[in-house]
Short mmCIF file of all heavy atoms in Angstrom, two decimals:
data_model
loop_
_atom_site.label_atom_id
_atom_site.label_comp_id
_atom_site.label_asym_id
_atom_site.label_seq_id
_atom_site.Cartn_x
_atom_site.Cartn_y
_atom_site.Cartn_z
N SER A 84 44.60 -102.28 -22.70
CA SER A 84 45.74 -101.89 -21.88
C SER A 84 45.58 -102.37 -20.45
O SER A 84 44.47 -102.54 -19.94
CB SER A 84 45.89 -100.37 -21.90
OG SER A 84 44.82 -99.75 -21.18
N LYS A 85 46.70 -102.58 -19.79
CA LYS A 85 46.67 -102.97 -18.38
C LYS A 85 48.05 -102.76 -17.75
O LYS A 85 49.08 -102.84 -18.42
CB LYS A 85 46.26 -104.44 -18.23
CG LYS A 85 47.23 -105.43 -18.84
CD LYS A 85 46.77 -106.87 -18.64
CE LYS A 85 46.78 -107.31 -17.19
NZ LYS A 85 46.53 -108.75 -17.04
N ILE A 86 48.03 -102.47 -16.45
CA ILE A 86 49.26 -102.49 -15.67
C ILE A 86 49.55 -103.93 -15.29
O ILE A 86 48.71 -104.61 -14.68
CB ILE A 86 49.12 -101.59 -14.42
CG1 ILE A 86 49.14 -100.12 -14.83
CG2 ILE A 86 50.24 -101.86 -13.43
CD1 ILE A 86 48.99 -99.16 -13.67
N THR A 87 50.71 -104.40 -15.69
CA THR A 87 51.05 -105.81 -15.42
C THR A 87 51.84 -105.99 -14.14
O THR A 87 52.00 -107.12 -13.66
CB THR A 87 51.84 -106.39 -16.61
OG1 THR A 87 53.03 -105.62 -16.83
CG2 THR A 87 51.01 -106.37 -17.88
N ASN A 88 52.35 -104.85 -13.62
CA ASN A 88 53.11 -104.95 -12.38
C ASN A 88 53.28 -103.56 -11.79
O ASN A 88 53.27 -102.56 -12.51
CB ASN A 88 54.52 -105.54 -12.64
CG ASN A 88 55.27 -105.84 -11.34
OD1 ASN A 88 54.89 -106.73 -10.60
ND2 ASN A 88 56.33 -105.08 -11.09
N GLY A 89 53.41 -103.48 -10.49
CA GLY A 89 53.74 -102.23 -9.83
C GLY A 89 52.55 -101.32 -9.57
O GLY A 89 51.38 -101.71 -9.73
N SER A 90 52.85 -100.07 -9.20
CA SER A 90 51.81 -99.14 -8.80
C SER A 90 52.24 -97.70 -9.06
O SER A 90 53.41 -97.40 -9.23
CB SER A 90 51.47 -99.32 -7.32
OG SER A 90 52.60 -98.98 -6.53
N ILE A 91 51.24 -96.81 -9.04
CA ILE A 91 51.47 -95.36 -9.10
C ILE A 91 50.69 -94.73 -7.95
O ILE A 91 49.47 -94.95 -7.82
CB ILE A 91 51.02 -94.74 -10.42
CG1 ILE A 91 51.75 -95.38 -11.61
CG2 ILE A 91 51.23 -93.24 -10.43
CD1 ILE A 91 51.28 -94.88 -12.96
N SER A 92 51.36 -93.95 -7.14
CA SER A 92 50.70 -93.26 -6.03
C SER A 92 50.90 -91.77 -6.16
O SER A 92 51.95 -91.30 -6.58
CB SER A 92 51.26 -93.74 -4.69
OG SER A 92 51.04 -95.11 -4.49
N ILE A 93 49.85 -91.01 -5.78
CA ILE A 93 49.96 -89.57 -5.68
C ILE A 93 49.69 -89.20 -4.22
O ILE A 93 48.62 -89.53 -3.68
CB ILE A 93 48.95 -88.87 -6.63
CG1 ILE A 93 49.32 -89.16 -8.08
CG2 ILE A 93 48.94 -87.37 -6.37
CD1 ILE A 93 48.38 -88.56 -9.11
N LEU A 94 50.69 -88.58 -3.59
CA LEU A 94 50.62 -88.27 -2.19
C LEU A 94 50.20 -89.48 -1.36
O LEU A 94 49.38 -89.42 -0.46
CB LEU A 94 49.67 -87.09 -1.95
CG LEU A 94 50.16 -85.76 -2.50
CD1 LEU A 94 49.10 -84.66 -2.31
CD2 LEU A 94 51.46 -85.33 -1.87
N GLY A 95 50.78 -90.61 -1.72
CA GLY A 95 50.60 -91.83 -0.94
C GLY A 95 49.36 -92.65 -1.29
O GLY A 95 49.16 -93.73 -0.71
N GLU A 96 48.54 -92.18 -2.23
CA GLU A 96 47.34 -92.92 -2.58
C GLU A 96 47.50 -93.60 -3.92
O GLU A 96 47.89 -92.98 -4.91
CB GLU A 96 46.12 -91.99 -2.64
CG GLU A 96 45.78 -91.37 -1.30
CD GLU A 96 44.51 -90.58 -1.35
OE1 GLU A 96 43.61 -90.91 -2.14
OE2 GLU A 96 44.40 -89.61 -0.57
N ASP A 97 47.22 -94.90 -3.97
CA ASP A 97 47.32 -95.68 -5.19
C ASP A 97 46.20 -95.24 -6.13
O ASP A 97 45.02 -95.48 -5.87
CB ASP A 97 47.18 -97.17 -4.86
CG ASP A 97 47.32 -98.05 -6.10
OD1 ASP A 97 47.41 -97.52 -7.22
OD2 ASP A 97 47.33 -99.28 -5.92
N ILE A 98 46.58 -94.58 -7.26
CA ILE A 98 45.55 -94.04 -8.14
C ILE A 98 44.82 -95.11 -8.93
O ILE A 98 43.79 -94.82 -9.59
CB ILE A 98 46.13 -92.96 -9.09
CG1 ILE A 98 47.14 -93.57 -10.06
CG2 ILE A 98 46.74 -91.83 -8.30
CD1 ILE A 98 47.58 -92.59 -11.16
N TYR A 99 45.33 -96.33 -8.91
CA TYR A 99 44.62 -97.44 -9.57
C TYR A 99 43.89 -98.29 -8.54
O TYR A 99 43.40 -99.38 -8.86
CB TYR A 99 45.60 -98.29 -10.37
CG TYR A 99 46.04 -97.65 -11.68
CD1 TYR A 99 47.06 -96.71 -11.71
CD2 TYR A 99 45.38 -97.90 -12.87
CE1 TYR A 99 47.45 -96.08 -12.88
CE2 TYR A 99 45.74 -97.29 -14.05
CZ TYR A 99 46.78 -96.37 -14.05
OH TYR A 99 47.15 -95.76 -15.23
N GLY A 100 43.80 -97.81 -7.31
CA GLY A 100 43.08 -98.54 -6.26
C GLY A 100 41.59 -98.56 -6.55
O GLY A 100 41.05 -97.71 -7.26
N PRO A 101 40.87 -99.52 -5.97
CA PRO A 101 39.44 -99.71 -6.28
C PRO A 101 38.55 -98.55 -5.85
O PRO A 101 37.46 -98.38 -6.40
CB PRO A 101 39.08 -101.00 -5.51
CG PRO A 101 40.12 -101.10 -4.42
CD PRO A 101 41.37 -100.53 -5.02
N ARG A 102 39.00 -97.71 -4.93
CA ARG A 102 38.15 -96.62 -4.46
C ARG A 102 38.44 -95.30 -5.17
O ARG A 102 37.80 -94.28 -4.85
CB ARG A 102 38.30 -96.44 -2.94
CG ARG A 102 37.74 -97.63 -2.15
CD ARG A 102 37.80 -97.35 -0.65
NE ARG A 102 39.19 -97.31 -0.19
CZ ARG A 102 39.53 -97.05 1.07
NH1 ARG A 102 38.59 -96.76 1.97
NH2 ARG A 102 40.80 -97.03 1.43
N VAL A 103 39.38 -95.30 -6.10
CA VAL A 103 39.72 -94.07 -6.81
C VAL A 103 39.02 -94.06 -8.15
O VAL A 103 39.17 -94.96 -8.97
CB VAL A 103 41.23 -93.95 -7.00
CG1 VAL A 103 41.57 -92.74 -7.88
CG2 VAL A 103 41.93 -93.80 -5.64
N ASP A 104 38.20 -93.01 -8.36
CA ASP A 104 37.47 -92.86 -9.61
C ASP A 104 38.33 -92.10 -10.62
O ASP A 104 38.87 -91.04 -10.29
CB ASP A 104 36.17 -92.11 -9.35
CG ASP A 104 35.38 -91.87 -10.62
OD1 ASP A 104 34.78 -92.81 -11.13
OD2 ASP A 104 35.39 -90.71 -11.09
N ALA A 105 38.47 -92.64 -11.83
CA ALA A 105 39.36 -92.03 -12.82
C ALA A 105 38.93 -90.63 -13.19
O ALA A 105 39.75 -89.74 -13.42
CB ALA A 105 39.44 -92.92 -14.05
N ILE A 106 37.63 -90.38 -13.28
CA ILE A 106 37.14 -89.04 -13.66
C ILE A 106 37.47 -88.05 -12.56
O ILE A 106 37.91 -86.92 -12.83
CB ILE A 106 35.63 -89.10 -13.93
CG1 ILE A 106 35.35 -89.97 -15.18
CG2 ILE A 106 35.07 -87.70 -14.14
CD1 ILE A 106 33.91 -90.20 -15.47
N GLN A 107 37.27 -88.44 -11.30
CA GLN A 107 37.64 -87.56 -10.20
C GLN A 107 39.16 -87.31 -10.19
O GLN A 107 39.63 -86.21 -9.93
CB GLN A 107 37.23 -88.18 -8.87
CG GLN A 107 35.71 -88.15 -8.60
CD GLN A 107 35.21 -86.71 -8.45
OE1 GLN A 107 35.89 -85.86 -7.86
NE2 GLN A 107 34.04 -86.44 -8.96
N LEU A 108 39.93 -88.36 -10.49
CA LEU A 108 41.38 -88.24 -10.51
C LEU A 108 41.80 -87.16 -11.50
O LEU A 108 42.71 -86.35 -11.22
CB LEU A 108 42.01 -89.57 -10.89
CG LEU A 108 43.52 -89.57 -11.15
CD1 LEU A 108 44.28 -89.34 -9.87
CD2 LEU A 108 43.97 -90.84 -11.84
N ARG A 109 41.16 -87.11 -12.66
CA ARG A 109 41.56 -86.18 -13.70
C ARG A 109 41.25 -84.72 -13.34
O ARG A 109 41.76 -83.82 -14.00
CB ARG A 109 40.94 -86.57 -15.05
CG ARG A 109 41.52 -87.89 -15.57
CD ARG A 109 40.85 -88.37 -16.82
NE ARG A 109 41.16 -89.78 -17.01
CZ ARG A 109 40.28 -90.73 -17.36
NH1 ARG A 109 39.03 -90.39 -17.59
NH2 ARG A 109 40.66 -91.99 -17.50
N LYS A 110 40.45 -84.49 -12.33
CA LYS A 110 40.25 -83.14 -11.83
C LYS A 110 41.48 -82.67 -11.06
O LYS A 110 41.76 -81.48 -10.97
CB LYS A 110 39.02 -83.07 -10.91
CG LYS A 110 37.71 -83.32 -11.63
CD LYS A 110 36.54 -83.25 -10.67
CE LYS A 110 35.22 -83.49 -11.39
NZ LYS A 110 34.06 -83.46 -10.45
N HIS A 111 42.21 -83.62 -10.51
CA HIS A 111 43.41 -83.31 -9.74
C HIS A 111 44.67 -83.40 -10.62
O HIS A 111 45.70 -82.82 -10.29
CB HIS A 111 43.56 -84.28 -8.58
CG HIS A 111 42.46 -84.18 -7.57
ND1 HIS A 111 42.41 -83.23 -6.59
CD2 HIS A 111 41.32 -84.93 -7.43
CE1 HIS A 111 41.30 -83.39 -5.87
NE2 HIS A 111 40.63 -84.40 -6.36
N VAL A 112 44.57 -84.16 -11.71
CA VAL A 112 45.72 -84.35 -12.60
C VAL A 112 45.27 -83.94 -14.00
O VAL A 112 44.76 -84.75 -14.78
CB VAL A 112 46.21 -85.82 -12.59
CG1 VAL A 112 47.50 -85.94 -13.38
CG2 VAL A 112 46.42 -86.31 -11.15
N GLY A 113 45.45 -82.66 -14.31
CA GLY A 113 45.01 -82.13 -15.60
C GLY A 113 46.01 -82.46 -16.70
O GLY A 113 47.16 -82.85 -16.45
N MET A 114 45.57 -82.28 -17.96
CA MET A 114 46.43 -82.63 -19.07
C MET A 114 46.31 -81.61 -20.22
O MET A 114 45.22 -81.18 -20.56
CB MET A 114 46.11 -84.03 -19.59
CG MET A 114 47.13 -84.55 -20.59
SD MET A 114 47.05 -86.36 -20.69
CE MET A 114 48.54 -86.69 -21.63
N VAL A 115 47.46 -81.25 -20.77
CA VAL A 115 47.55 -80.39 -21.94
C VAL A 115 48.17 -81.20 -23.05
O VAL A 115 49.23 -81.79 -22.88
CB VAL A 115 48.41 -79.14 -21.66
CG1 VAL A 115 48.54 -78.30 -22.93
CG2 VAL A 115 47.81 -78.33 -20.52
N PHE A 116 47.49 -81.27 -24.19
CA PHE A 116 47.88 -82.18 -25.24
C PHE A 116 48.82 -81.53 -26.26
O PHE A 116 49.02 -80.32 -26.29
CB PHE A 116 46.65 -82.73 -25.95
CG PHE A 116 45.77 -83.59 -25.06
CD1 PHE A 116 44.74 -83.03 -24.34
CD2 PHE A 116 46.03 -84.95 -24.91
CE1 PHE A 116 43.94 -83.79 -23.51
CE2 PHE A 116 45.25 -85.73 -24.09
CZ PHE A 116 44.20 -85.15 -23.38
#
Side-chain angles (χ1 to χ4, degrees):
S84 70
K85 64 180 293 189
I86 287 179
T87 59
N88 188 67
S90 64
I91 300 175
S92 297
I93 295 178
L94 293 175
E96 295 186 30
D97 182 354
I98 65 171
Y99 285 83
R102 292 185 293 177
V103 174
D104 178 75
I106 294 174
Q107 288 294 322
L108 172 70
R109 292 175 197 136
K110 293 180 181 179
H111 298 278
V112 187
M114 191 159 191
V115 177
F116 295 92

